[in-house]
Amino acid sequence: MSLSRRHLILALSATALQPAQAARYEGQTFADSLALGGSPLVLNGTGKRQVAWLKGYLAALYLTHRANTPDEAYRAPGPKRIEMRILIEASTMELVKAVDKGMGRNCTEPEKLAVAERQKQFTAVIASVGKVRKGDLITIDYLPDRGTVLTINGKVWGSTIAGADFYTAFMKVFLGEKPSDTKLRAGLLGQASE
């Protein structure tokens, strides 16, 4: 084996043994990559939901490959994750309102009609949680063979919501043309959010 080939193999081996990197945002650590449904996902971006001085949550978007536009994120194949780290205690009815309002503003009429029953099912699951507290971790995952799964602090809530179209409608709450927070949208798309 030639010396240059041996160096290449050693360099690749060292790279493979390095621990996963992590991104820091607002004092929190987000994994640069993770596995979901047997597929590797990469951190697309992070952002903060804030109204005036009140910080509500930090969010991260994970996809199979990086996306710079909402359409690229919606079309990304495979599993997807939106992760939310709660910064204040709040009723989950606030999240229900945000989902309903965001889907209403950002989905077309045919999209709204197509997901209406599943949206009711999903928001009923969110409402059943009651409250979220500072430090809670919410993940909303899309698994192609199952659908949308809501997990809070490692516990799955409610039943799975079927359909890629539903998850796309849900993503539009954060990434649509009329998001509730443009800085959060920019951050999740990997753009400067400050």
Side-chain angles (χ1 to χ4, degrees):
M1 179 182 303
S2 72
L3 188 58
S4 61
R5 185 174 171 165
R6 183 174 297 152
H7 285 285
L8 177 62
I9 290 171
L10 289 173
L12 290 173
S13 297
T15 301
L17 296 174
Q18 289 178 351
Q21 297 295 308
R24 296 281 299 166
Y25 179 71
E26 291 282 318
Q28 298 274 335
T29 302
F30 292 86
D32 276 347
S33 62
L34 55 87
L36 180 62
S39 295
L41 300 184
V42 295
L43 177 63
N44 198 72
T46 57
K48 171 179 52 185
R49 174 66 173 124
Q50 182 170 335
V51 177
W53 71 92
L54 189 61
K55 297 176 184 179
Y57 59 85
L58 302 179
L61 174 63
Y62 289 91
L63 302 168
T64 53
H65 61 273
R66 294 201 193 286
N68 296 315
T69 68
D71 285 337
E72 288 174 1
Y74 305 148
R75 288 192 312 261
K80 300 173 186 177
R81 168 173 285 178
I82 293 178
E83 179 177 302
M84 300 168 65
R85 297 181 184 189
I86 305 303
L87 301 176
I88 58 169
E89 184 170 322
S91 165
T92 54
M93 289 310 295
E94 294 304 315
L95 184 54
V96 168
K97 288 178 199 171
V99 169
D100 287 342
K101 190 174 183 180
M103 285 185 173
R105 275 197 251 176
N106 292 290
C107 293
T108 65
E109 287 306 316
E111 288 170 336
K112 287 188 251 186
L113 287 171
V115 302
E117 287 305 312
R118 290 174 285 161
Q119 180 180 342
K120 286 179 191 173
Q121 182 184 355
F122 185 65
T123 56
V125 170
I126 295 170
S128 73
V129 174
K131 274 192 180 202
V132 288
R133 290 167 180 77
K134 184 176 181 179
D136 281 354
L137 174 64
I138 300 173
T139 58
I140 303 99
D141 294 332
Y142 172 68
L143 301 164
D145 59 338
R146 294 180 54 207
T148 300
V149 179
L150 172 69
T151 305
I152 301 177
N153 298 326
K155 177 185 174 186
V156 175
W157 284 79
S159 58
T160 301
I161 311 297
D165 62 335
F166 175 77
Y167 200 80
T168 296
F170 175 72
M171 289 177 73
K172 288 184 177 187
V173 172
F174 300 90
L175 303 178
E177 290 182 22
K178 300 174 186 171
S180 57
D181 191 316
T182 56
K183 288 183 179 181
L184 173 60
R185 178 182 189 259
L188 294 177
L189 291 172
Q191 303 159 3
S193 60
E194 293 298 326

